[in-house]
Amino acid sequence: MGRLIVVSNRVNPPADAGVETAGGLAMALAAALREYSGTWFGWSGETVETFTGQISMQRIGGVTVALMDLEDQDREEYYDGYANRTLWPLFHSRTDLAAYERSFDAGYQRVNRRFAQTLAPLIGPGDLVWVHDYHLIPLGQELRALGVTNRIGFFLHIPWPGPRTLTTLPQHRRLVETLLAYDLVGFQSQDALAAFGEYVSRELDLTIDGDEVVFDGRTTRVAAFPIGIEGQAFAELADSPVAAAAFARMRQSQAGRRMIIGVDRLDYSKGLEERFLAYEQMLADHPDLAEQVFLLQIATPSRDAVEAYQEIRARLDAISGRINGAYATVDWVPIRYVNRSHRRDELAGLYRAAHVGLVTPLRDGMNLVAKEYVAAQDPEDPGVLILSRYAGAAEQMTDALIVNPFSREDMSETLARALAMSREERRKRWRRLMDGVLADDVTAWRDRFVRALLDDRVTVSTARGDRSKAS
Ligand code: ADQ
């Protein structure tokens, strides 16, 4: 094969010494690119007055990075607009927050065309193109329109909505048809794949035969490729000096109390409001637990330009303040709510110091925090993972305590159960979870996708216990 060209909205290769801060996805894609001597192409995050299509090439952490600038209007209509205010809420089943504006749609099409025009000259014979996420769904079709015949794959990091939800989008049909210009389309979960299948059958009158769907004379292969983390490396990070220091500092400040941890981007899909209220419910239902536990919620603000994010932030400030006001004593604060971002090794130490990992999104493509929490645990004395049934990760991580994030009662009772769980049961559950995190890691994910894109007829279904042979 030729080179691997990865395309995503933003490009985030780890710097050489970036082990502490770069995310698992960035590390894995960077590793893939090094192996295939590839290129990572995307938006620089910068804007210029008039789009030029000029590419700035750099080598960062052993990876070739190709960046282009966009215009202010592109940022508003394509990024803040169609990506963050239309597709993100819609694909997370929040039609109440989804804005359907014609200018957003036009901006989305324009920027995808700009990506295609700028990228096409970089693609050589035999190169594989791997496009990432909802910002760039039409990119494959735009490249085809420019005559690119290479194999092009697409991976969706977020959920696929149910057909009724998706049809609220005025351009739903066009959007899905553009997806069928790819050779391979990957989803995070069987649930997302099934929802996609339902849509194409209902709205396009197409059937997925095995893992193939034919549209307009072209065959697209569709499958679930659950993403993983660098399990082994993250476990090692939890043993690093920075992690050990964070762990020790935390344990000291805990004063014998048990800690529940939540780590999320500050986003309405993560169920933070419901989580705070369920924790409050637990304090009300189990007065014996007062002063025995506390919740550390780390929530890094994101997408501040979008109003819905300002609103959720204000609501969380208010709810955490109210709960702390109602329950705190002179030497105990029930919720420690932190808006800072943390180094990855520090985060690993904090995960390890927590008796319970509370991961309760209302909708989530996968959720990597659940996997990081497991990887960071002390094998001798691991904590308990509580996981939303609506996270893609719930399909694989069946040894977690699975909850309904919309039910305060369920979450409150599950928290009490987790806090009381015997060490024996914790170890048993953790071992099985950890085996999964190590086996289905980010390298396995990447290799499976790239092999499938090369049309190597190998295992593509990776839901645990469902390793069926394709074709
Ligand atoms: P996200 O919605 O960003 O990702 P998630 O999978 O949980 O959600 O990944 C978040 C990452 O950011 C984790 O690696 C976490 O450690 C890190 N992080 C969060 N808060 C942090 C903080 N305060 N400091 C430092 N690091 C922090 C999208 C989809 C997910 C999907 C991923 C990958 O929404 O469903 O799992 O992509 O495909």
Side-chain angles (χ1 to χ4, degrees):
M1 66 173 266
R3 298 167 308 160
L4 178 66
I5 299 178
V6 167
V7 191
S8 56
N9 173 55
R10 294 301 301 277
V11 174
N12 182 24
D16 284 328
V19 190
E20 301 89 355
T21 48
L25 181 59
M27 300 290 291
L29 290 179
L33 289 163
R34 272 195 292 269
E35 242 168 71
Y36 299 110
S37 64
T39 299
W40 195 344
F41 176 78
W43 175 33
S44 63
E46 303 294 326
T47 54
V48 285
E49 202 159 306
T50 312
F51 178 75
T52 61
Q54 220 173 10
I55 301 174
S56 100
M57 294 271 217
Q58 298 167 44
R59 293 277 300 172
I60 303 178
V63 172
T64 302
V65 169
L67 300 174
M68 63 169 186
D69 300 334
L70 292 174
E71 293 175 8
D72 269 342
Q73 197 185 349
D74 294 335
R75 182 202 292 271
E76 277 158 32
E77 295 173 350
Y78 148 82
Y79 181 68
D80 292 338
Y82 205 77
N84 287 339
R85 291 184 55 201
T86 306
L87 293 182
W88 176 273
L90 177 67
F91 278 46
H92 288 86
S93 307
R94 291 297 302 268
T95 39
D96 57 318
L97 296 176
Y100 299 151
E101 291 188 21
R102 227 186 273 176
S103 64
F104 291 176
D105 176 44
Y108 186 64
Q109 300 305 323
R110 179 179 68 245
V111 170
N112 271 273
R113 208 164 304 128
R114 287 183 166 172
F115 263 78
Q117 283 161 351
T118 314
L119 174 63
L122 299 183
I123 302 174
D127 287 351
L128 288 182
V129 182
W130 185 2
V131 178
H132 288 262
D133 230 1
Y134 59 102
H135 312 83
L136 300 173
I137 293 173
L139 178 57
Q141 193 182 55
E142 294 291 347
L143 288 169
R144 297 281 180 231
L146 295 173
V148 175
T149 54
N150 299 53
R151 296 195 67 79
I152 312 180
F154 176 84
F155 183 76
L156 184 70
H157 289 258
I158 64 175
W160 185 270
R164 274 180 203 287
T165 306
L166 185 53
T167 50
T168 63
L169 179 73
Q171 312 84 15
H172 61 92
R173 198 186 163 104
R174 191 187 68 207
L175 189 77
V176 179
E177 286 179 358
T178 62
L179 205 51
L180 297 173
Y182 289 99
D183 295 299
L184 173 68
V185 174
F187 297 96
Q188 295 273 29
S189 62
Q190 295 295 336
D191 184 66
L193 178 61
F196 176 77
E198 242 179 277
Y199 176 94
V200 295
S201 126
R202 270 205 218 183
E203 298 294 324
L204 305 180
D205 204 18
L206 300 174
T207 16
I208 299 180
D209 185 8
D211 60 0
E212 289 183 348
V213 53
V214 179
F215 176 69
D216 230 6
R218 155 179 293 284
T219 301
T220 300
R221 199 169 169 207
V222 293
F225 298 85
I227 197 170
I229 61 164
E230 287 189 299
Q232 190 57 44
F234 203 85
E236 284 162 20
L237 217 53
D239 280 325
S240 67
V242 174
F247 177 89
R249 203 174 57 243
M250 211 59 224
R251 276 287 151 94
Q252 198 185 13
S253 89
Q254 277 170 241
R257 295 182 174 115
R258 278 164 299 163
M259 165 164 129
I260 301 163
I261 197 169
V263 176
D264 306 80
R265 252 184 335 95
L266 209 168
D267 192 290
Y268 48 77
S269 67
K270 302 292 182 186
L272 294 167
E273 209 171 324
E274 291 76 5
R275 190 180 305 172
F276 283 180
L277 294 172
Y279 175 71
E280 180 183 36
Q281 178 89 48
M282 186 203 73
L283 293 175
D285 292 348
H286 298 271
D288 51 309
L289 286 174
E291 300 207 44
Q292 301 301 310
V293 295
F294 70 96
L295 168 63
L296 171 65
Q297 177 63 56
I298 300 177
T300 323
S302 68
R303 305 175 192 171
D304 272 347
V306 179
E307 202 181 314
Y309 287 78
Q310 296 157 11
E311 282 169 14
I312 175 85
R313 191 168 180 184
R315 277 205 302 278
L316 290 171
D317 286 347
I319 297 173
S320 59
R322 181 178 61 69
I323 295 172
N324 281 341
Y327 287 90
T329 60
V330 286
D331 62 355
W332 172 62
V333 181
I335 303 181
R336 297 189 195 174
Y337 179 45
V338 180
N339 289 133
R340 246 167 32 83
S341 146
H342 292 262
R343 291 163 53 113
R344 298 192 67 69
D345 43 10
E346 199 183 343
L347 211 52
L350 295 176
Y351 285 137
R352 184 174 276 206
H355 299 79
V356 178
L358 192 52
V359 181
T360 58
L362 306 179
R363 287 298 270 150
D364 217 331
M366 176 56 59
N367 195 295
L368 298 179
V369 169
K371 298 185 174 185
E372 292 169 0
Y373 177 75
V374 167
Q377 295 308 301
D378 174 359
E380 294 308 313
D381 190 19
V384 180
L385 174 66
I386 297 182
L387 180 61
S388 161
R389 59 179 296 173
Y390 301 114
E395 282 184 8
Q396 297 170 296
M397 306 183 85
T398 49
D399 285 292
L401 297 182
I402 303 293
V403 288
N404 173 1
F406 295 95
S407 165
R408 275 183 221 177
E409 282 70 28
D410 185 17
M411 283 207 279
S412 154
E413 286 317 305
T414 307
L415 270 170
R417 183 179 162 205
L419 289 163
M421 193 182 285
S422 69
R423 181 198 281 237
E424 194 194 337
E425 184 176 353
R426 282 189 278 122
R427 280 170 59 165
K428 241 195 256 159
R429 285 177 180 271
W430 176 80
R431 187 66 261 169
R432 289 193 293 254
L433 287 169
M434 186 64 175
D435 287 346
V437 167
L438 292 175
D440 297 328
D441 69 354
V442 74
T443 313
W445 167 77
R446 175 201 77 192
D447 290 347
R448 227 173 267 132
F449 191 93
V450 171
R451 278 209 309 273
L453 184 53
L454 281 164
D455 203 23
D456 201 353
R457 291 269 134 181
V458 289
T459 305
V460 291
S461 181
T462 61
R464 288 182 64 67
D466 176 20
R467 293 174 180 278
S468 52
K469 200 114 166 114
S471 110

